[in-house]
Amino acid sequence: MSIDDRPTLAAPDDDPYLWLEDIEGERALAFVAAQNQRTLAAFGGAGFERDRDMLAAIFDRPDNIPFVSRRGGLLYNLWKDAAHPRGLWRRTTLAEFRKAEPQWEELLDLDRLAADEGEDWALNWVSTLPPAHGRAMLALSRGGSDAVVLREFDLAAKRFVADGFTLTEAKGGVDWLDQDTLLLASAFGQGMATPSGYARTMRLWRRGEPIEAAKVIFAAENSQSVWVRAGIDRSVTPARVWFTEGLDFFNHHLWLGDASGAGIKLDLPTDCWMTADGNFMAVKLRQPWTVGDVTHGADVVLGIRLSAFLDGARDFVRVFEPGPRRALQGLCWAGGRLVLSILDELKPQSEVWTPSAQGWSCQRLPGLPELATVNVWPLDAYELTGNGDLLASIQDPLTPPSLQLIEGFGAPAVLKQAPRTFTAEGCVVTRHEAISVDGVGIPYTLTGPARPTGDAPVYMSAYGGFGHSIRPVYNAALGKLWLERGGTVVEANIRGGGEFGTAWHDAGRFAGKRLAHDDFAAVAADLVRRGVTVPKRIAAQGGSNGGILITNMLVRYPERFGALFCTIPLIDMRRYTKLLAGASWIAEYGDPDKDEDWGWLQTYSAYHMAQPGQPYPPILIATTRRDDRVHPGHARKMTAKLQAMGYDTSFYEPAAGGHGYGTDNRERASFITLGTRFLARHVGLEMD
């Protein structure tokens, strides 16, 4: 009997499962319902329910850190717990927040709103009007999707504004020019979306004006551009507006303008990252840039007075110089100073640069550890109008995070400490390096028993894309469900990430994506070589871009893994540009409609590479129906093909969740528990 193995590399467009791309199609939903029932019957039950409830209780703990941002002198927080699964939007003062049990002023109960309106509401983001922040535009999402409904909210009255600004569901963003005028980037309306589904225009929307009459003040010049955005810069008076046209994921054009539209187009490399405050600007380069007879290297950060730059000056000050394994992770302004977040050999550093008429001076933020994962960001939601206060989160895989306040760029003071949620006795954190197929060292962090047994149940993960850096954190779910039960957790810093700068990212981009996958397989092999475990006891998980990784482990390195968990994944590299936001990622992967690009894309399109008769390990592929970023069709189709070829393939697709694991703590707990128990069963980690 012949087995249907379509689509194949020889006939990549002969796809018998296109019907599964119809997200709400009757036939597709019947497939999903049957698969969910099958998966929950196999991996649900009393043990699943116990672990799910235990994990949900951890996520709902009243002593978890309430992360905050400051607006108009008050600290705002969206809090989720068992009583408020969708979230309670609230605020308090800094003095009150310092207390062990602060009192909060409730602004909006999302659960009550959802019940009253019969909608699956989640709060995605908020835009408020400085300096008083008395009005807000709330972005309400159905089921966690990126597309949002915009509604105006009165913060004094604590209710939505009758006849206020409202906009139907669409992807986009908004900022306030004044109390009666919004700057709107939205894909809503005829001709307002890019091929990627994001906003193509910026509109000036005045109170009482129908959206159809809002004036377009800026639009993408390139028909294939990914998005347009704008930001209102209130560090000067009158406020200025920065307009950006995203040519692709990493390249853009930048204009300086005002409420009437774009004015001056900045003479900068399209792939740089520019940020300005007052009369100073900082430029982070991605590639070398030659200005006159001076060449500035890749990943350098340059500082200059904005007025001088606009007048033609190019006498930059180099405020950051990268090294072979020293790379910038982020930069922001706070209190008129430039804050740099750096990884040097994966150790965190934070520098503060102060610009003045006399030059730029540097200081290191004191009191922050080097042997931990440290994140630093402005306390104020609008960093250019803040006073310079910073927040820092400090943690490692065995130490729960603390939230610390940095005032006046001095030593940090602990504001909140997260609780310990699992027993770490006997566990240690160590860093190692595997050698990939081309001889390059690939760092990875291992958390587990101090003395290897030789057959440890290992939970591996990585990402390897878009220059996104992976750093080890305190993971309550894996700690409770895996480490506490004797397992080992491994996080790999494969190429494609940003841990070591642009070169590290570019090495795992386009055709190099396959090399990034080799890196992950090399880490799995190194665990065996070092006597940590054996292949049949290695489980691996990856999501989104990491979904490509996991399905490539399935089809390219099946002998190195005992089980795989593939979440909210990208898989079909032939059609990904035609599905939802897929076209926006061409700069990371390539264009399958171009023969040259398809030449490398087909080498890691696991949907086409999968063949019958191979020793593939069991795999669970999970997505969410409300993911409007990565189309759920990827997961559905891969499942259908693998099952048609007789492989041990499970599938799970809850209705809500967006590009994540759920919109509330219980949904997230269910998703994580299901996947963890699937992996545990197949690699022999005792769960019950």
Side-chain angles (χ1 to χ4, degrees):
M1 182 178 67
S2 63
I3 294 177
D4 189 350
D5 62 351
R6 295 175 297 162
T8 64
L9 292 175
D13 299 317
D14 183 10
D15 187 345
Y17 303 112
L18 291 178
W19 56 276
L20 285 169
E21 294 178 3
D22 184 359
I23 296 175
E24 299 291 343
E26 183 177 350
R27 184 183 176 195
L29 290 183
F31 170 89
V32 169
Q35 293 288 333
N36 283 349
Q37 183 178 28
R38 175 175 175 263
T39 298
L40 290 172
F43 302 101
F48 163 79
E49 292 173 1
R50 179 204 64 216
D51 285 353
R52 177 202 60 203
D53 293 346
M54 177 174 60
L55 198 55
I58 290 173
F59 294 160
D60 285 335
R61 284 181 62 133
D63 54 350
N64 286 330
I65 294 177
F67 286 92
V68 294
S69 62
R70 186 164 59 193
R71 303 168 188 265
L74 295 174
L75 305 187
Y76 288 76
N77 164 257
L78 180 65
W79 179 255
K80 295 182 179 181
D81 59 21
H84 308 93
R86 298 175 186 275
L88 182 66
W89 193 38
R90 57 188 190 170
R91 64 186 176 187
T92 191
T93 64
L94 178 57
E96 189 69 24
F97 187 70
R98 293 179 188 271
K99 299 177 181 179
E101 297 183 6
Q103 296 297 308
W104 294 88
E105 178 188 3
E106 297 182 5
L107 296 171
L108 179 64
D109 185 328
L110 272 296
D111 294 275
R112 186 179 303 131
L113 178 69
D116 290 346
E117 299 186 352
E119 291 281 7
D120 187 18
W121 287 133
L123 183 60
N124 267 22
W125 47 264
V126 173
S127 175
T128 53
L129 174 61
H133 299 272
R135 289 291 175 94
M137 292 300 297
L138 305 190
L140 297 171
S141 160
R142 292 185 175 95
S145 64
D146 288 347
V148 293
V149 173
L150 298 178
R151 292 168 66 175
E152 185 179 2
F153 191 83
D154 186 324
L155 286 160
K158 303 178 189 177
R159 62 171 179 260
F160 289 104
V161 178
D163 300 321
F165 288 108
T166 60
L167 187 63
T168 302
E169 186 177 54
K171 291 185 179 182
V174 67
D175 205 347
W176 292 85
L177 275 169
D178 57 49
Q179 182 143 333
D180 296 312
T181 315
L182 297 177
L183 196 59
L184 175 71
S186 176
F188 176 78
Q190 186 68 31
M192 294 297 175
T194 68
S196 301
Y198 296 107
R200 191 188 67 82
T201 66
M202 295 299 309
R203 286 175 275 187
L204 198 66
W205 190 13
R206 302 186 187 281
R207 187 174 299 280
E209 182 179 58
I211 186 60
E212 294 77 13
K215 182 181 179 181
V216 173
I217 61 172
F218 181 72
E221 296 179 333
N222 189 320
S223 63
Q224 296 304 306
S225 287
V226 175
W227 41 255
V228 299
R229 294 173 182 164
I232 300 172
D233 179 356
R234 291 183 170 87
S235 66
V236 293
T237 304
R240 58 194 174 205
V241 181
W242 294 102
F243 294 90
T244 308
E245 177 184 0
L247 305 176
D248 59 36
F249 205 89
F250 307 109
N251 290 271
H252 58 269
H253 289 151
L254 181 65
W255 284 265
L256 176 59
D258 54 27
S260 65
I264 303 170
K265 186 176 183 179
L266 270 66
D267 179 23
L268 290 170
T270 59
D271 60 355
C272 76
W273 179 5
M274 195 286 292
T275 179
D277 181 15
N279 193 34
F280 291 95
M281 62 182 282
V283 180
K284 189 268 183 182
L285 301 181
R286 197 172 185 280
Q287 300 292 342
W289 183 32
T290 299
V291 185
D293 58 357
V294 178
T295 297
H296 302 287
D299 295 334
V300 164
V301 177
L302 306 172
I304 195 171
R305 286 183 299 150
L306 176 60
S307 57
F309 178 84
L310 296 176
D311 288 340
R314 296 296 183 267
D315 53 337
F316 294 103
V317 174
R318 294 188 185 180
V319 299
F320 174 78
E321 292 272 9
R325 292 210 165 189
R326 183 175 190 262
L328 187 76
Q329 301 300 302
L331 73 167
C332 63
W333 292 97
R337 302 185 190 186
L338 185 68
V339 181
L340 305 183
S341 295
I342 301 162
L343 281 182
D344 192 344
E345 292 288 354
L346 298 177
K347 297 177 181 178
Q349 298 175 354
S350 296
E351 294 181 354
V352 178
W353 286 80
T354 304
S356 69
Q358 290 72 43
W360 294 65
S361 61
C362 177
Q363 70 180 84
R364 183 79 66 87
L365 277 179
L368 296 174
E370 287 192 353
L371 297 178
T373 293
V374 179
N375 292 300
V376 176
W377 69 96
L379 171 59
D380 293 281
Y382 295 84
E383 58 193 52
L384 299 184
T385 58
N387 69 353
D389 289 346
L390 301 169
L391 291 175
S393 171
I394 301 172
Q395 62 188 305
D396 67 45
L398 298 178
T399 307
S402 64
L403 181 66
Q404 306 194 15
L405 176 65
I406 302 173
E407 297 179 287
F409 301 96
V414 175
L415 285 174
K416 301 292 176 185
Q417 176 67 57
R420 281 189 190 278
T421 55
F422 62 89
T423 301
E425 185 177 352
C427 288
V428 295
V429 181
T430 55
R431 183 159 285 155
H432 309 274
E433 201 164 90
I435 303 302
S436 195
V437 293
D438 59 348
V440 172
I442 309 301
Y444 65 93
T445 301
L446 184 151
T447 305
R451 295 180 180 178
T453 62
D455 64 348
V458 172
Y459 187 111
M460 281 185 65
S461 64
Y463 185 73
F466 296 92
H468 176 66
S469 299
I470 296 295
R471 289 178 284 172
V473 298
Y474 190 83
N475 188 316
L478 287 182
K480 195 67 180 176
L481 300 183
W482 201 272
L483 286 177
E484 197 173 271
R485 290 167 172 167
T488 294
V489 173
V490 171
E491 291 181 293
N493 299 107
I494 65 178
R495 280 171 283 192
E499 294 88 344
F500 303 128
T502 297
W504 193 253
H505 172 213
D506 284 350
R509 189 171 158 224
F510 294 140
K513 191 65 65 180
R514 183 178 173 91
L515 186 60
H517 302 159
D518 293 330
D519 294 348
F520 192 72
V523 172
D526 197 62
L527 294 171
V528 176
R529 181 191 65 80
R530 289 182 45 247
V532 174
T533 190
V534 293
K536 68 179 181 180
R537 303 210 77 187
I538 300 179
Q541 178 273 332
S544 193
N545 169 78
I548 310 175
L549 168 68
I550 293 301
T551 51
N552 270 261
M553 295 304 99
L554 180 80
V555 301
R556 295 187 57 217
Y557 290 100
E559 73 285 353
R560 298 194 186 183
F561 299 92
L564 300 169
F565 181 31
C566 178
T567 63
I568 50 174
L570 198 65
I571 303 175
D572 179 357
M573 303 312 292
R574 182 66 171 179
R575 286 181 52 78
Y576 87 92
T577 57
K578 299 173 174 61
L579 301 174
L580 296 175
S584 65
W585 310 319
I586 288 174
E588 177 73 13
Y589 305 117
D591 187 347
D593 290 334
K594 295 180 179 178
D595 290 341
E596 179 184 0
D597 293 13
W598 177 242
W600 70 65
L601 280 163
Q602 65 181 320
T603 70
Y604 55 84
S605 184
Y607 186 50
H608 297 84
M609 295 168 66
Q611 299 176 348
Q614 304 301 309
Y616 295 164
I619 186 171
L620 169 59
I621 305 176
T623 185
T624 77
R625 196 167 313 150
R626 289 295 294 177
D627 188 349
D628 55 352
R629 195 179 312 172
V630 177
H631 197 292
H634 287 277
R636 295 174 176 182
K637 295 197 303 176
M638 186 65 171
T639 299
K641 178 178 178 177
L642 289 173
Q643 289 181 351
M645 292 189 292
Y647 290 114
D648 185 352
T649 307
S650 301
F651 178 84
Y652 179 61
E653 182 189 298
H659 192 58
Y661 290 178
T663 56
D664 63 43
N665 291 337
R666 188 174 177 83
E667 288 175 359
R668 285 198 304 126
S670 293
F671 199 106
I672 293 168
T673 300
L674 187 68
T676 306
R677 291 184 65 85
F678 171 89
L679 295 177
R681 179 181 299 182
H682 287 292
V683 302
L685 176 67
E686 192 66 40
M687 298 291 281
D688 297 316

